[in-house]
Amino acid sequence: MKCFTCNEKRPQIKRPKTGKPICLDCFYDCFEKEIHHTIITNELFKKGERVCIAASGGKDSTVLAYIMNELNKKYDYGLDLFLLSVDEGIVGYRDDSLETVKKNRDDYGIPLEIVSYKDLYGWTMDEIVKMIGLTNNCTFCGVFRRQALERGATFLKADKVVTGHNADDIAETVLMNLLRGDYHRLTKSVDIITGKEGNMPRVKPFKYTYEKEIVMYAYHKKLVYFSTECIYSPNAYRGYVRELIKDLEAQRPSTVIDIIHSGEKLVIDKNQARAKQQIKRNCSICGFMSSNNVCKACALLEKLSKMKAKKTIEYEEIKTINNTNEKISNVVKIEI
Ligand code: SF4
Ligand code: ZN
Ligand code: ZN
């Protein structure tokens, strides 16, 4: 049997996207050209831009860093690339994955900046989970990460942030928003460029790239990535939707792309959804761009402070100084 693409070499894999046998060289070529095509047709970058690659050390962002570096050279995009990582402060997970990002930095020669929740917000995720438990942790983490990326990219004077969201992630998000009736998010979830109305646009060159192909590419190219899941990852709802898509894919292999295409066409009340997104102002607490008077991160931080205060008992301790009648009072705080 011959490779379906070059019709010369012996096929080494079955390509997930097409189901056809293909040799590795043709697979690399098709994979890279398709991402280049997505970048060009959607005008994701302009020559001379400073672009931050959101890097977590996972498979998507590792392949993203590698591909962006390759395509930038091969097609002369003329971009200044940076790796930008967020340290959520999760011991045993993020500290290990950041070591992988440092390896990417050294392997690809791209400068790396790390921003941490502790520095930006005064809390690590470990401390937040200790305070709030494992129910809403990903909501806190998601809001903080989004803002941390924007702050890091602004610090680096970047023009935009590029993220490794792949076709499977996007299909899951579309379906989740559809099932929840969240049309504001549904509108945004298929956008290849988001955050245009704010300071820092985010772009997704892997919008049409299958997760299985990213894994295959990383594996055969021997790219080093971190594959452990976050220790605080419940995300049950996304898990159900992922399983549903996997079941549907077994019946109809084009399910992921079909959902994305449906999401692109099925935009309900687009103007109303966008009008809501466009009202932007500065947060009255931190000054960062926000759609409300107080940004989501500050609102969550306020919530955390209130919870912390509640967990602290204050009482007045009165002591008599030795051999005198003099008394001193002292306010004692105990964290419970
Ligand atoms: Fe943060 Fe949740 Fe992701 Fe862990 S799983 S990194 S807590 S968003
Ligand atoms: Zn071939
Ligand atoms: Zn704020």
Side-chain angles (χ1 to χ4, degrees):
M1 198 204 292
K2 297 268 172 67
C3 163
F4 190 78
T5 305
C6 65
N7 205 20
E8 281 175 18
K9 292 188 197 149
R10 193 175 58 81
Q12 286 141 297
I13 55 170
K14 193 165 119 185
R15 189 170 179 200
K17 194 169 192 172
T18 57
K20 305 285 188 219
I22 191 167
C23 73
L24 276 180
D25 286 337
C26 287
F27 169 62
Y28 297 150
D29 197 46
C30 294
F31 184 86
E32 290 162 14
K33 275 192 180 138
E34 284 169 12
I35 295 164
H36 171 63
H37 179 257
T38 302
I39 290 173
I40 296 303
T41 49
N42 292 282
E43 299 177 356
L44 296 190
F45 308 108
K46 287 195 198 87
K47 226 180 175 109
E49 278 184 333
R50 289 167 71 84
V51 175
C52 277
I53 303 166
S56 66
K59 60 179 184 350
D60 300 310
S61 69
T62 298
V63 174
L64 182 68
Y66 178 85
I67 286 275
M68 283 301 298
N69 198 30
E70 290 295 300
L71 298 182
N72 193 29
K73 287 188 278 187
K74 190 169 175 185
Y75 295 103
D76 193 22
Y77 290 168
L79 304 176
D80 247 347
L81 298 176
F82 300 86
L83 292 168
L84 176 60
S85 288
V86 177
D87 181 359
E88 297 93 343
I90 304 174
V91 174
Y93 166 65
R94 184 54 81 215
D95 42 358
D96 289 349
S97 65
L98 284 175
E99 288 311 309
T100 314
V101 182
K102 288 178 190 163
K103 180 139 189 8
N104 294 161
R105 170 197 64 194
D106 300 339
D107 290 349
Y108 313 145
I110 308 176
L112 164 68
E113 181 69 30
I114 301 174
V115 287
S116 77
Y117 284 7
K118 189 70 182 176
D119 290 346
L120 291 175
Y121 311 114
W123 292 80
T124 63
M125 260 329 274
D126 285 337
E127 290 165 345
I128 293 173
V129 168
K130 219 167 159 189
M131 179 66 62
I132 64 164
L134 279 172
T135 335
N136 278 324
N137 55 304
C138 291
T139 307
F140 280 76
C141 196
V143 168
F144 288 162
R145 183 183 305 108
R146 214 179 134 91
Q147 201 187 82
L149 272 178
E150 276 195 46
R151 285 181 180 274
T154 308
F155 171 75
L156 288 168
K157 297 189 172 55
D159 296 293
K160 55 192 58 157
V161 173
V162 55
T163 65
H165 291 99
N166 61 46
D168 298 59
D169 298 329
I170 293 166
E172 282 163 19
T173 311
V174 170
L175 209 50
M176 275 165 69
N177 290 329
L178 194 68
L179 294 171
R180 286 174 178 151
D182 190 339
Y183 70 89
H184 291 299
R185 290 210 172 93
L186 177 59
T187 312
K188 276 207 294 187
S189 54
V190 284
D191 285 350
I192 194 159
I193 306 177
T194 50
K196 274 192 276 192
E197 69 284 355
N199 286 333
M200 193 60 63
R202 289 178 302 279
V203 304
K204 303 171 198 161
F206 287 172
K207 181 181 171 188
Y208 301 107
T209 309
Y210 278 47
E211 186 171 76
K212 282 187 200 123
E213 299 212 342
I214 292 173
V215 175
M216 238 175 209
Y217 187 89
Y219 175 78
H220 289 290
K221 285 269 180 183
K222 299 190 174 43
L223 303 183
V224 179
Y225 65 88
F226 185 79
S227 48
T228 310
E229 259 210 50
C230 170
I231 46 172
Y232 302 137
S233 160
N235 230 335
Y237 199 66
R238 185 174 283 271
Y240 294 138
V241 172
R242 185 171 299 163
E243 285 310 307
L244 174 63
I245 293 178
K246 294 264 172 288
D247 287 349
L248 293 170
E249 256 188 320
Q251 302 295 319
R252 186 180 165 87
S254 60
T255 298
V256 164
I257 291 297
D258 291 344
I259 294 174
I260 295 177
H261 286 159
S262 302
E264 285 169 341
K265 300 284 174 218
L266 192 153
V267 175
I268 318 144
D269 220 351
K270 196 167 181 162
N271 291 334
Q272 201 188 329
R274 294 223 191 280
K276 189 173 172 185
Q277 289 162 25
Q278 273 163 10
I279 311 159
K280 288 278 171 190
R281 62 196 97 181
N282 292 94
C283 166
S284 60
I285 299 176
C286 71
F288 209 70
M289 190 70 84
S290 164
S291 40
N292 295 306
N293 193 26
V294 172
C295 76
K296 279 187 192 158
C298 285
L300 290 175
L301 284 170
E302 221 167 299
K303 214 169 169 178
L304 283 172
S305 316
K306 278 187 189 150
M307 287 175 90
K308 191 173 181 187
K310 264 194 200 157
K311 289 206 168 191
T312 308
I313 297 179
E314 278 186 19
Y315 67 93
E316 193 179 11
E317 186 185 60
I318 299 177
K319 278 185 187 162
T320 310
I321 298 177
N322 281 351
N323 305 325
T324 68
N325 277 336
E326 210 179 318
K327 291 189 171 24
I328 51 164
S329 94
N330 192 20
V331 176
V332 180
K333 289 183 181 177
I334 303 179
E335 289 205 3
I336 52 167

